[in-house]
Each structure stands twice: as C-alpha cells, then as structure tokens.
Amino acid sequence: MVLAPRLDLRQSQSLVMTPQLQQAIKLLQLSNLELTAFVEAELERNPLLEREDTSEAAAPPVEAPRDAAEALTADLPASNDSPLDTDWADTDSLTPGRVTESDGTDLGMVEAGLSMTGGGSGSGSGGSFDDDLRGLEETLSETPTLRQHLMAQVGLTFAQSTDRMIAAALVESIDDAGYLPEPLETFAAQFGCDLARIESVLAQVQRFDPTGVGARSLAECLALQLAEKNRLDPAMQALLNNLPLLAHRDLAGLQRVCGVDAADIADMIGEIRALNPKPGLAFERSAADPVTPDILMQALPDGTWHLELNPETLPRVLVNNRYHTRVRRQSLNKADRDYISEQFQTANWLVKALHQRATTILRVASEIVRQQDGFFRHGITHLRPLILRDIAEGVSLHESTVSRVTTAKYIATPRGMLELKYFFTSAIQSADGSAAHSAEAVRYRIKALIDAEKPDEILSDDKIVEILRADGVDIARRTVAKYREAMRIPSSVQRRREKAFGI
C-alpha cells in the first residue's frame, strides 16, 4: 500500500442549515406579537419591503396547494364562550371529522404570501389605516393609584408638618398590596424621633381608605377590617393569632384556642373569607393584554367546520419591485449593487417564509380540529389523547415542526379561546381494552365527581377509582391523588371536616 497524497472526486448529499432556513424555522414558533415586532424591524431595515396598501384592489386569489389545510371565510360565531362540558350541537345532524374548504379561499399573493382569508368584507385589518379606531388602553378612564389616593388623605388628616412627612414616607413604602414591609425603626432613625411617634402616625394611616392598608402582616390587615365592622372580639382575635391552624384546616384546634363551638367557628371563618387580604390591589388597575387568536373557527349549518387565519395577526408586507427596478437602472458601484441584490433576496425570502408559516399553521390547526372533532361537538369528556406524532403523520411534517407551530398559537372556537397545546394530552388506558382516555378528560371527571358529592357521602380516592373503572377508565389510586392535588382539591378527610362545619 502506497502512502502518498492524491485528489479524489466524490458526490454526496447533505442537509445544510442555511441562515435563511434557520430563520424560517424560528418564525414558526413566534407568537403573533413577536412576529409583528420582527416584521416591523425588517421594514425599518430593508428599503425594498413595504406594507401592503389595503386601499388598493385586492389581487386575484391564488389556488391553494393540494396539501394545504382547509381555509374558512366566515366570521367567528358569537357562541365562542360556550362551556367546554356541554354538547354543542345535535350529533344526528352533523358529519363528524370533516373540515370543508371554501371555493374562494385566498392563500395570498405569491409576492405577499400572507393573506390567508377569503375575499369577504369581514372586519380586521382590511380597512384603511386612516380609520379612527382607538386602542383598549385609550378607552379606559384614568383612576388614581394607591399612593395618590393615600397622599390625598395625608393632607387632610395631619396638621403638623413633621407628621405629614412621616405619613408621606410611610405611604411611599407601602407596597402594591397595601402592606408596609419596612420596620418602624427605619423611619424612627430617618426622622430622628422616637418609635412611639412613628406608631402614632401609622395608627392614623391605618384608618385610611381602603380599610386594612398599612398593615404589617396578614393578621393585622384582617384585624383592621374586622375592627372597622366592630367584629374584633377576643374569639376573633384568637383566630387571627392562629391563622396557621386555619391554613392547615385544623378546625378542632381553632375551637380550643378560640373557646367556641363548631357553629361559631364556621361563622367566624365565613367572616374571614369575606375580607380582602390585599386591599391595595383595588387601585392597581392595568389594562390586560387580550389574547388575539391566530385561527378563527366556525361551525356551518351542514355540520362541518370552517377555519381561517385571523387577518389581524397576519403581517402584510410586499416587495417593492418598482423601486428595485428603478434603483437597478441607476449607475451604482459594485458595493451598492451587492447591497440592493442582498436586500432584494432577503425581502423575497421573508415574504415566502411568512406565506409558508401561515400555510403550515392552518394545516396543523385543521388536522387538530379533525382529530378532536368529538371535543368540539360534545365537550371535554370527549377530548382524545393526542401526541405530536399523530398530527405530524396527518400533515406529513416532522414532530419538531408541529411543536413549533403549536407554540403560543391560539384558536377561537365555539367552546372558547384555546391554545393549540391544550389539545395534546397524555393517554390513560381503558379498562375494557377500548380506546384510551385523555388525561384532561379524566381530570375533569374527577373534579365533577368531587363537586357533586354530598356532605354525608364524601368520596375517597379509592371510591373515585372504583367509579372511574366502572366507567371504563383504568386508573391507579396514586394517579387520582396526583390529579386531585394538581387541582388543589383537599383530601377526603379535609373535605369531610370542612363540610361538617358548613364551610
């Protein structure tokens, strides 16, 4: 064998993850808010990208590919707040497991690659940008904060400037829940006065509205509210001094320390529950960020489902071909030509990647609806166990792609707003060898059994296992206990004790 350097030619195939391919994969798992931020950044960076002018005539629809998911053109029904556990429609008039496709489905222009809805005149981003539509935060009335509310009372309560300064410092230290976490010794050292004066000012601050503000502990907060109602008697004070016993539901121990019978302790606990443990939160109002669905779902009279992508979550961008042609005609140096060519390629890639993302989301959502048809028609008890592989095989995609597509994506259904991840649950085997049961459906069944139990017939975990096995669910006692604890439902012993006291 001769050892010598030589040159060989070989052919081989390999998958190379280009930066554009990596970015396209990353786009799949972005939420609609993250995608909007990404597109906005690209619009600022790339001069060949522009927003689609929705005032112009819409381009003719492009025929959907054969493997594309079924799109919908109808709006979401007003019944999307229906409970998850009730039958939605008469099963005799419905065709199970079929998602229809509208003939006028618009999967978007090849250049834009974004408009996934039909050519209807539904609401959304199809209007002009000049529409005078105010955001949710602009329609909220301005309310004072907790500190502003307390500072207004400081000026009306304290006459001496030193007391006002101490009260203002106390108010500034109160947290959003209404509690004073700083020790009073800190304020005494800050103002160079004795501790008694700080306590005197705090006592007046604790009379402010809302009642219970300025407390240094939960027991003191509840005591201030009970004193306002003239209900802070020795027995109630003893209960407040032993709140750990109440947290552990040791009702017999509370009876001993309070010196009252079972009926009185039940009434006292009822009064405690009626109080506000965080009085300051009533003033910390902020506009909640609403969840915008990525997919809209509607049931048609013929018993089929229609799906469409929400136009409000679809960024509408185009490649400015006219500007690109005009710039190319000008005499440019090599660096400028390379820059324009690179930006043109990037813009085309982004438009195609957005179109592919929208199409993939719709395909995956349609397959989920097809496989979870029983849930949408009959409720959570008919939720099937589902894993990523089931959907991946149905749409001919990789499991990792399905996982990215279902991350932070929401669908508005006749049963409410649900995340796509909600439909993936583990399986619990059936006792009779038939189809497996969804873990989410079993949890709902356990909660329904406990909610319906009578005070004199408390169900133990073993009894719940017997009932579920009689219904065909092969489940172990430890699994029932795990699901019950996950739903924060106390044990049968604690529930029996609470219902015996009428709690």
Side-chain angles (χ1 to χ4, degrees):
M1 180 177 181
V2 179
L3 296 178
R6 64 179 182 178
L7 296 177
D8 291 333
L9 293 178
R10 297 179 181 177
Q11 291 182 346
S12 63
Q13 293 181 343
S14 62
L15 179 62
V16 179
M17 293 288 290
T18 63
Q20 289 186 343
L21 180 58
Q22 294 177 7
Q23 188 64 59
I25 294 175
K26 183 179 179 181
L27 287 179
L28 286 176
Q29 62 188 12
L30 295 182
S31 65
N32 51 49
L33 295 179
E34 294 170 338
L35 181 65
T36 301
F38 174 80
V39 171
E40 289 294 331
E42 289 296 318
L43 286 170
E44 295 179 1
R45 188 183 65 85
N46 196 329
L48 298 181
L49 279 175
E50 64 177 0
R51 290 183 177 86
E52 181 182 356
D53 188 0
T54 56
S55 62
E56 297 180 357
V62 176
E63 183 179 358
R66 287 184 179 274
D67 60 344
E70 293 81 352
L72 306 175
T73 58
D75 293 329
L76 182 69
S79 60
N80 61 342
D81 292 332
S82 301
L84 298 178
D85 56 337
T86 57
D87 282 355
W88 186 82
D90 186 5
T91 57
D92 295 336
S93 62
L94 299 178
T95 304
R98 186 163 66 92
V99 181
T100 63
E101 179 178 8
S102 301
D103 295 335
T105 298
D106 179 10
L107 287 182
M109 298 180 294
V110 174
E111 293 82 8
L114 294 173
S115 179
M116 297 290 290
T117 62
S121 59
S123 60
S125 58
S128 171
F129 285 107
D130 296 332
D131 293 342
D132 184 18
L133 298 177
R134 295 183 297 170
L136 174 63
E137 66 280 358
E138 299 181 29
T139 64
L140 298 177
S141 59
E142 183 178 358
T143 57
T145 64
L146 175 63
R147 290 173 181 81
Q148 291 174 344
H149 182 68
L150 295 177
M151 288 301 297
Q153 300 176 71
V154 168
L156 299 175
T157 303
F158 298 95
Q160 297 185 7
S161 59
T162 303
D163 291 343
R164 283 199 302 269
M165 293 175 60
I166 296 174
L170 292 173
V171 168
E172 288 297 327
S173 299
I174 292 176
D175 59 19
D176 294 340
Y179 288 86
L180 181 66
E182 295 290 335
L184 298 186
E185 290 78 8
T186 303
F187 299 99
Q190 177 182 352
F191 291 97
C193 59
D194 54 4
L195 187 60
R197 186 166 188 176
I198 303 295
E199 292 176 346
S200 175
V201 174
L202 177 61
Q204 292 179 277
V205 171
Q206 290 177 342
R207 298 191 184 99
F208 287 176
D209 178 74
T211 306
V213 73
R216 289 159 289 181
S217 65
L218 175 61
E220 186 177 16
C221 177
L222 300 177
L224 291 172
Q225 298 179 54
L226 290 169
E228 179 72 16
K229 299 179 179 182
N230 196 25
R231 283 291 299 128
L232 189 60
D233 52 28
M236 186 66 77
Q237 186 63 58
L239 190 151
L240 296 178
N241 294 337
N242 294 272
L243 287 179
L245 295 178
L246 179 59
H248 290 87
R249 294 180 172 86
D250 187 0
L251 303 182
L254 288 176
Q255 291 184 62
R256 289 194 300 270
V257 298
C258 297
V260 295
D261 56 16
D264 290 336
I265 203 67
D267 293 339
M268 293 165 63
I269 293 177
E271 292 185 46
I272 293 293
R273 288 184 171 179
L275 303 178
N276 186 359
K278 297 180 179 180
L281 294 184
F283 289 84
E284 299 297 330
R285 299 173 182 173
S286 59
D289 295 331
V291 175
T292 304
D294 299 270
I295 307 104
L296 305 179
M297 176 181 177
Q298 184 188 27
L300 296 183
D302 61 354
T304 59
W305 303 109
H306 268 196
L307 299 178
E308 70 172 346
L309 290 178
N310 187 356
E312 296 183 0
T313 64
L314 296 177
R316 300 177 180 272
V317 294
L318 295 171
V319 179
N320 195 334
N321 291 292
R322 287 181 296 178
Y323 178 70
H324 175 255
T325 303
R326 185 170 71 249
V327 172
R328 292 278 301 196
R329 289 175 180 175
Q330 300 176 358
S331 58
L332 302 174
N333 55 38
K334 184 178 184 302
D336 292 340
R337 288 196 303 270
D338 292 342
Y339 172 76
I340 293 298
S341 177
E342 179 185 355
Q343 296 304 314
F344 182 70
Q345 293 177 3
T346 302
N348 279 319
W349 163 82
L350 177 61
V351 168
K352 293 178 181 179
L354 291 174
H355 177 267
Q356 183 64 33
R357 175 185 182 273
T359 304
T360 305
I361 291 175
L362 199 55
R363 289 176 59 192
V364 172
S366 297
E367 182 65 18
I368 291 176
V369 170
R370 187 187 70 82
Q371 296 203 28
Q372 295 289 4
D373 182 78
F375 164 78
F376 294 108
R377 299 180 188 278
H378 309 295
I380 193 172
T381 56
H382 289 75
L383 187 67
R384 288 183 51 196
L386 194 66
I387 58 177
L388 295 174
R389 187 187 307 113
D390 299 333
I391 301 299
E393 293 176 353
V395 295
S396 300
L397 294 174
H398 195 270
E399 293 181 33
S400 62
T401 303
V402 176
S403 178
R404 292 185 179 95
V405 168
T406 54
T407 299
K409 308 299 187 303
Y410 292 84
I411 178 172
T413 74
R415 295 194 177 275
M417 183 89 66
L418 300 171
E419 188 178 7
L420 293 182
K421 289 288 188 184
Y422 172 82
F423 300 100
F424 296 93
T425 61
S426 57
I428 295 179
Q429 296 301 321
S430 175
D432 54 4
S434 58
H437 302 270
S438 168
E440 186 68 24
V442 174
R443 277 193 290 265
Y444 172 80
R445 175 65 172 154
I446 292 174
K447 186 177 186 303
L449 289 173
I450 294 177
D451 291 342
E453 64 185 5
K454 299 178 181 179
D456 56 344
E457 297 180 1
I458 303 299
L459 300 176
S460 64
D461 292 345
D462 291 325
K463 184 62 177 178
I464 294 176
V465 169
E466 294 179 7
I467 296 175
L468 292 178
R469 287 183 176 176
D471 293 340
V473 181
D474 186 12
I475 190 171
R477 180 186 179 280
R478 62 179 180 276
T479 306
V480 171
K482 181 180 69 174
Y483 289 169
R484 176 179 52 76
E485 293 171 358
M487 294 184 288
R488 297 187 177 182
I489 297 176
S491 65
S492 59
V493 176
Q494 293 175 330
R495 299 199 307 273
R496 184 178 294 105
R497 185 185 298 121
E498 290 176 1
K499 293 189 177 183
F501 283 92
I503 300 176

